[in-house]
Amino acid sequence: MKRIIFTLALLTTFGMSGCKDYFDLNENPNQISNPPLQSLLATTTQKTGLNSQRVANTTSYFVQYLANPGAGGSTDTYQETDYSGTWDALYYAMADLTDMKRLAGEQSSSEYVGVANVMLAYHVGLVGDTFGAGPFKEAFTGEPLTPKYDSEEEMYNSALTLLNEGITELGKTDSKIKLSASDDLIHGGKREAWLKTAYALKARMLNKVSKKASYDPAAVLEAVSKSYTSNADDAQMSTFLLRNPWAQVARNNALLVLDGWLSAQLINHLNGTTYGLFDPRIEKITDKTVTGTYVGTVNGAGNPTGAANTVKDENYISLNSPLTGDNSPLLIVTYAEVKMIEAEAALRAGSRDRAYAAYLEGIKANMAKLGVAAAARDKYIADPIVSVGAAKLTLADIFKEKYVITYLNPEAWNDARRFDYKYKGFKLPVSAALPTFIRRVAYPSNEVSENGINVPAIGPLSDPLFWDK
């Protein structure tokens, strides 16, 4: 652990070195031009986890996991908001990954090349799914200084190509330099684990185009079959310089720097209000209020009770949750999510028995991940609202359960858009700036000012991305 913390601290002096092509046009004598692969592995695996959280800290409002404690919050109500910090973090990470891939290729390390491809694919997907089109093919070449944008579909195809290339590289067993176990903060240097994650992300990506004529459930299921087989396979990152950033949100809120309030949509989804069934996972996500109840905040409306914010009479992100405690891992993609991907693809393919088995297994896996007691788990699953039977299983059932499984994960927004926000009880935020649900965000101000010649014009934030049509 001391080595990892020292490495991450050291990387603050050169972690941006690969970004000079796109972000930093001046030579910095304090930057290291050719950092060792092991150091790049530490910084990029950490950034991948942190960037997942950064994006989710925005998209969790769109899917109504979170709600602003004050009325009319900009993200809450779909206003055009500047996410320059998130954009920069994603591109800085991609620059480091590009450096790692280049150096690994020069040193004949198929394992490092493969891992770089997988994480690059993930970051390209985060940019494409959040903003739409973005610079990639020209972004890290050194020329031009204002790179052109790849289209939304090109971003998707690039991410898929990177995953396929990563799968090829990770399938090799003769890498000249093996992954460093102590510097790999996601999979501990295990090549086979990264290969499974590449397939899990591929299944996720292939499933994301469910609205397109090109959607192929058989291809999704093939990727699933080569991915995760248990919770032990999950891609997650739990090494921090201080603590899990969600835990910092919870601590800030306790100190009345208000943040991390849970939406009424999520709370009512879990507490029995929406479905007439109490979901025991709520006890592993948040703490009861001072009145011993579960109360969420309506998006756009602010404090639900009107009481002073020092009165803990609504629900927040909790330090007691295995997902948001100080040392909790940031989840990138999980076995439980993969089982729900399998359930959806199998159902769309007409394989009802397989779909139903995967659906139930996904619930069980998520319950186990959260530490729900077996008796509470079995009671929930046995209820006819959940155990609907293979013949009656619907996409709505799958999306209902997956909504809980992807709590605080940016993939939840992709699902909400694919599902056209048809979650039971889902409503527009109070005083929403759009007449319908949000489907994208605006380009950040720093990108507009620095690369405005290439930033594409966009319409309202309710316009869908290419895969959402």
Side-chain angles (χ1 to χ4, degrees), residues 49 52-57 59-61 63-66 122 244 246-247 260-262 266 285 317-318 321 323-324 330-332 402-413:
S52 176
Q53 190 274 338
R54 284 189 180 98
V55 174
N57 203 24
T59 60
S60 290
Y61 289 89
V63 297
Q64 297 184 11
Y65 291 145
L66 302 179
Y122 182 68
N244 180 309
W246 292 121
W261 289 34
L262 298 183
L266 173 67
I285 286 175
I317 285 176
S318 171
S321 170
L323 300 176
T324 52
L330 295 172
L331 307 182
I332 298 164
K402 196 177 178 189
Y403 180 77
V404 184
I405 288 169
T406 54
Y407 169 64
L408 298 183
N409 191 300
E411 187 62 20
W413 191 31

Side-chain angles (χ1 to χ4, degrees), residues 13 109 122 125 179 183 229 264 300 344:
T13 67
S109 176
Y122 182 68
L179 293 170
D183 295 301
T229 57
E344 179 183 347

